[in-house]
Amino acid sequence: MLNTLKALFRANTQPSPEQSQGRPVAAGLPTGISQEDLEGLRLDGRVNIKLIGLRAHADALFSWDDDAYYHIAAVGHVDLGQDAHLVRFYLDNDTWLQANIENGQVLEYKLFDFYRVAHLSDAEFDKMINGDDKTSDRIGAQAITLASTADETRTGTFQRVWGDTESLWSSPVIFEEQVMTTESVVARRVTHHAMLYERTIQGTERMEYLLLSAETDGEDSFMLVQNVGVDVASVDIDAV
């Protein structure tokens, strides 16, 4: 399963830049992985990402400003075992860049947007991850149709990546993420019940991804997050 992991979770953090002095640049990274291994990406740094040509495709739900540099406000780490890791860099424009790492090598980068967020009660969260009602719009459904946030008449249909492709429903995958911010003394843990979907953007060879995640931080905060993302090449990342 590790070789097929393409995206993950979400953390809801709002760090304070004024308290960032003295934080090690490697904060939040796995042991043995440095910012040099990750194109210079680091907590409290800034990054510009080029997605040339994406805005020309009207079918794409994901949108991006190629010109801006964004502050890296938090770093999340998921230890998948067997020397495999996911590292997420949370940016101050409500997006996140994830590196998929195996045996000390970055295999790929993906950039996600917190597309929609719904806050849930404890009971709603429990029903979502444990309930017997496996409807077509639930996490784990075989396909999900998502409306654009800019124009709800425009939609995209995503096919499930994880689980049995023939099954109408598959159980979400559970991940634990440790999140560091510029003001963290210890990492904050977020539990995700996630399912990954994908589709081809019409008229291109570019893939677009949907990550559904029901998540909790253990502090009576429960959310359902729709994350929409695309692939990013390492040469398109400029971190400072």
Side-chain angles (χ1 to χ4, degrees):
M1 182 183 71
L2 299 182
N3 290 330
T4 67
L5 289 174
K6 297 181 178 179
L8 274 189
F9 346 108
R10 173 184 185 273
N12 182 19
T13 58
Q14 294 294 333
S16 171
E18 291 77 14
Q19 299 183 31
S20 64
Q21 298 299 319
R23 171 64 56 196
V25 296
L29 301 186
T31 301
I33 301 295
S34 69
Q35 67 184 70
E36 288 76 18
D37 299 319
L38 292 160
E39 324 306 326
L41 294 161
R42 62 180 178 86
L43 180 63
D44 210 21
R46 300 183 71 82
V47 63
N48 170 261
I49 301 170
K50 297 297 185 186
L51 295 177
I52 297 172
L54 180 64
R55 68 181 66 183
H57 301 290
D59 184 54
L61 300 182
F62 186 90
S63 62
W64 183 253
D65 182 354
D66 284 312
D67 300 322
Y69 278 81
Y70 297 104
H71 178 233
I72 300 174
V75 176
H77 172 220
V78 180
D79 187 345
L80 299 169
Q82 302 179 35
D83 202 19
H85 305 267
L86 297 172
V87 178
R88 299 175 69 192
F89 298 91
Y90 294 95
L91 311 183
D92 61 3
N93 66 333
D94 289 331
T95 63
W96 47 280
L97 177 67
Q98 180 177 277
N100 187 351
I101 302 170
E102 288 189 12
N103 301 313
Q105 300 295 316
V106 178
L107 302 184
E108 63 180 5
Y109 290 98
K110 281 182 168 57
L111 179 64
F112 279 87
D113 175 30
F114 296 141
Y115 212 63
R116 289 188 179 91
V117 179
H119 293 272
L120 307 174
S121 67
D122 188 350
E124 289 171 331
F125 181 83
D126 182 70
K127 182 178 180 181
M128 180 164 293
I129 64 174
N130 297 314
D132 295 328
D133 181 19
K134 308 301 189 300
T135 58
S136 60
D137 60 344
R138 291 283 296 276
I139 295 177
Q142 193 173 49
I144 297 286
T145 297
L146 185 69
S148 166
T149 55
D151 178 5
E152 291 196 353
T153 65
R154 186 162 56 87
T155 63
T157 298
F158 297 78
Q159 301 298 316
R160 190 180 62 225
V161 175
W162 297 336
D164 181 359
T165 57
E166 300 301 320
S167 174
L168 294 179
W169 187 87
S170 288
S171 298
V173 179
I174 302 175
F175 299 95
E176 297 286 343
E177 180 184 19
Q178 305 291 325
V179 180
M180 295 289 293
T181 73
T182 53
E183 62 183 6
S184 296
V185 177
V186 296
R188 172 173 168 263
R189 187 174 73 176
V190 181
T191 302
H192 306 265
H193 300 257
M195 184 57 70
L196 180 67
Y197 299 80
E198 66 181 13
R199 75 181 186 116
T200 302
I201 298 175
Q202 186 176 359
T204 76
E205 296 182 355
R206 185 188 289 271
M207 299 298 295
E208 192 169 56
Y209 303 95
L210 169 64
L211 180 72
L212 295 184
S213 179
E215 60 192 54
T216 177
D217 62 3
E219 299 180 357
D220 296 325
S221 176
F222 306 95
M223 289 173 287
L224 172 64
V225 185
Q226 297 174 340
N227 305 275
V228 174
V230 293
D231 294 299
V232 173
S234 59
V235 296
D236 295 330
I237 298 171
D238 181 22
V240 295

